[in-house]
Amino acid sequence: MDSAFRELPAVNELLDEPALVAFAKSLGPSAVKAAVRDALGDARRRIAADGGSAPSFATLVASASARLVHAETESLLPVLNGTGILLHTNLGRAPLPDEALDAIAAIGRGYSNLEFDLDAGKRGSRYARVTGLVRETTGAADALVVNNCAAAILLVLDTFAKGREVIVTRNQLIEVGGGFRLPDVLERSGAVLVEVGTTNRVYLRDVEGALSPNTALLMRTHPSNYRIEGFVADVAARDLAALGRRAGLPTLEDLGSGALVDLAAYGLPHERTVGEALADGIDLITFSGDKLLGGPQAGIIVGDPALIGRMRANPLLRALRVDKVTLAALAATLRLYLEPGGIERIPLYAMLRPSVDELRVRARALQAALGPLADVEVVVTSGLVGGGALPAAAVPSAGIALRPRDGDAGALAERARGARPAVVARVEDGAFIVDVRTIPPEDDARLVAVLRTALAG
Ligand SMILES: *Cc1c(COP(=O)(O)O)cnc(C)c1O
């Protein structure tokens, strides 16, 4: 038994193993050292318990490596998104443009004029700079940026509707997902929900009939992830805004996805834009920064300067405020909207641009690279915008369908998720289907490497 202990390698010998050195970059050298010690400790306990021989060097490396793979899974990791869903909430929604990443590095690395007026040499406003850009890109008279769209709605309700009534039509009482249910948000904000109309048909007279001295706000939402079809009637935003003005009440529209440009330019159905909501006369519009805007997580409120001024004075804003890194990334993303060709540098729009034929060319190259290892077919696929935009609109796309030799596509998907970078994609009809629209072309080589390893079992 003593000789078995002596056969165990030293910690340093294992630390020099390239397969383990690689983890130092993502997890830090201390984590690698701890995993090696744990693997050796485990081996010692086993020898002491059953008196067997020492495990091989390769077994110890595999044992430490398994611990490190597990540790990595608990941290944030890059993923190749083969689902074809562009704004995949579970996969981090919008990838950021290079300009935003550069701004994050430049501002995050050191100090900045976050709340300092360099001209006057005294305290300045955290929000002033980005407000100008939001105004320029949306055409709104004023704007405020908070942590996310849910926070934006909460701030509006807290400022205007605490203890008072908010009228919402029944066809818009939505659950967005991730625990965001409009009736619950209203309740938590201390507002009283007044539902009017029926699930399928709502008229302006329903809203009018519900007005009371205690009404604080008329609210409409983007029914972002479902569609009611058939025998339907709805209240137009323009009519709701006019009613609000007649009654002296502010109107709020929660747009959610928040398109600044017309998606019809990308061959998709029209999606209501922030500019259209403003043109309809809605007083306050809320939307996310990391959906159709294509920037960092943020909640943006645009609209009437007097109403936004009241929200700026609300102490709750302090708890919902954004940090310098978000402001830097958001400003850099918004600037792209003002530059000719700039929108194409926003990854979301760069991914929406290629035709199915162009994507098929990429899929064929992947097929050629993987062909010998599995049955690989180039397929036409159907993706989604996601993030609550255009729930019913398919984004026509292309990809590859992999049928592994052992017939177990589920196991292949599991190995692909376990690879680094992980590949996440659909399993359908016994095939692992990787949509290429949501994978940047520059990652094709890495995708091939991962899939080759995964196919080899
Ligand atoms: C996504 C969405 C929200 C929530 O936005 P977050 O930025 O995730 O807080 C709210 N309303 C609608 C209509 C949405 O689509």
Side-chain angles (χ1 to χ4, degrees):
M1 183 154 61
D2 283 355
S3 71
F5 283 126
R6 276 196 300 275
E7 276 165 35
L8 288 174
V11 170
N12 282 338
E13 279 175 72
L14 284 163
L15 286 179
D16 288 340
E17 173 61 29
L20 299 181
V21 170
F23 287 99
K25 209 172 140 209
S26 56
L27 294 170
S30 309
V32 179
K33 204 176 271 181
V36 164
R37 288 224 170 91
D38 287 350
L40 284 168
D42 215 30
R44 275 194 208 97
R45 269 192 300 282
R46 260 186 223 167
I47 296 167
D50 54 29
S53 56
S56 70
F57 191 79
T59 304
L60 285 165
V61 170
S63 160
S65 166
R67 284 160 214 272
L68 290 162
V69 166
H70 181 73
E72 254 190 354
T73 312
E74 317 224 300
S75 54
L76 216 42
L77 288 172
V79 162
L80 294 179
N81 173 11
T83 65
I85 301 169
L86 288 120
L87 295 170
H88 198 305
T89 297
N90 302 149
L91 302 180
R93 287 195 190 157
L96 293 175
D98 285 343
E99 284 78 357
L101 297 171
D102 292 347
I104 287 172
I107 295 303
R109 189 177 285 124
Y111 299 103
S112 61
N113 59 344
L114 179 65
E115 288 186 359
F116 190 75
D117 182 334
L118 290 170
D119 287 336
K122 58 181 173 56
R123 194 175 193 283
S125 159
R126 170 180 293 252
Y127 298 103
R129 277 169 290 271
V130 76
T131 297
L133 279 166
V134 177
R135 288 209 317 254
E136 260 185 277
T137 47
T138 61
D142 203 358
L144 186 57
V145 178
V146 291
N147 184 54
N148 57 12
C149 188
I153 298 163
L154 187 65
L155 184 63
V156 173
L157 295 174
D158 184 83
T159 308
F160 301 102
K162 223 186 173 91
R164 299 183 60 203
E165 293 172 358
V166 177
I167 302 177
V168 186
T169 60
R170 282 208 173 83
N171 59 352
Q172 295 185 343
L173 281 175
I174 55 163
E175 170 172 325
V176 178
F180 184 97
R181 310 182 89 187
L182 196 58
D184 298 343
V185 174
L186 276 152
E187 193 190 313
R188 294 307 304 224
S189 71
V192 179
L193 168 65
V194 177
E195 301 175 32
V196 299
T198 62
T199 307
N200 59 325
R201 290 175 84 86
V202 182
Y203 306 95
L204 192 67
R205 61 170 187 270
D206 295 329
V207 181
E208 232 168 336
L211 292 175
S212 87
N214 207 24
T215 307
L217 192 69
L218 308 182
M219 177 171 186
R220 75 194 305 271
T221 58
H222 186 358
S224 59
N225 45 14
Y226 74 98
R227 190 129 295 174
I228 299 175
E229 277 170 29
F231 188 57
V232 294
D234 204 358
V235 176
R238 188 173 287 273
D239 295 338
L240 191 77
L243 175 62
R245 274 193 300 278
R246 282 203 301 281
L249 292 168
T251 45
L252 163 68
E253 177 160 351
D254 172 30
L255 261 187
S257 54
L260 299 188
V261 294
D262 189 353
L263 291 184
Y266 295 85
L268 292 168
H270 178 73
E271 166 87 357
R272 184 163 169 83
T273 64
V274 177
E276 283 164 2
L278 285 165
D280 279 338
I282 298 289
D283 295 312
L284 293 170
I285 297 146
T286 53
F287 56 101
S288 301
D290 53 349
K291 290 185 179 174
L292 288 176
L293 195 150
Q297 180 190 304
I300 302 169
I301 312 168
V302 298
D304 182 80
L307 298 175
I308 290 198
R310 282 181 59 190
M311 285 189 277
R312 271 204 195 94
N314 184 339
L316 182 63
L317 178 62
R318 176 66 178 76
L320 308 177
R321 79 182 186 187
V322 276
D323 76 326
K324 58 182 181 251
V325 161
T326 299
L327 285 170
L330 181 61
T333 308
L334 289 170
R335 267 185 216 109
L336 291 174
Y337 281 91
L338 301 172
E339 263 176 56
I343 294 173
E344 307 298 319
R345 295 216 292 281
I346 297 172
L348 173 67
Y349 293 96
M351 287 189 291
L352 276 173
R353 179 58 76 196
S355 66
V356 173
D357 280 342
E358 287 169 81
L359 296 174
R360 235 196 245 123
V361 170
R362 274 178 64 202
R364 269 199 291 274
L366 295 171
Q367 179 192 36
L370 295 166
L373 295 168
D375 169 11
V376 189
E377 195 189 339
V378 172
V379 288
V380 169
T381 55
S382 175
L384 287 169
V385 174
L390 299 171
V395 179
S397 189
I400 46 172
L402 296 148
R403 285 184 183 78
R405 301 246 186 271
D406 66 2
D408 193 344
L412 174 62
E414 194 180 322
R415 290 196 296 275
R417 286 198 309 276
R420 298 294 175 261
V423 175
V424 177
R426 280 177 283 187
V427 172
E428 233 172 65
D429 302 329
F432 183 52
I433 297 173
V434 183
D435 192 308
V436 299
R437 187 181 290 284
T438 41
I439 294 175
E442 59 270 26
D443 280 333
D444 279 356
R446 295 206 301 165
L447 176 65
V448 166
V450 166
L451 292 178
R452 268 200 188 129
T453 314
L455 282 167

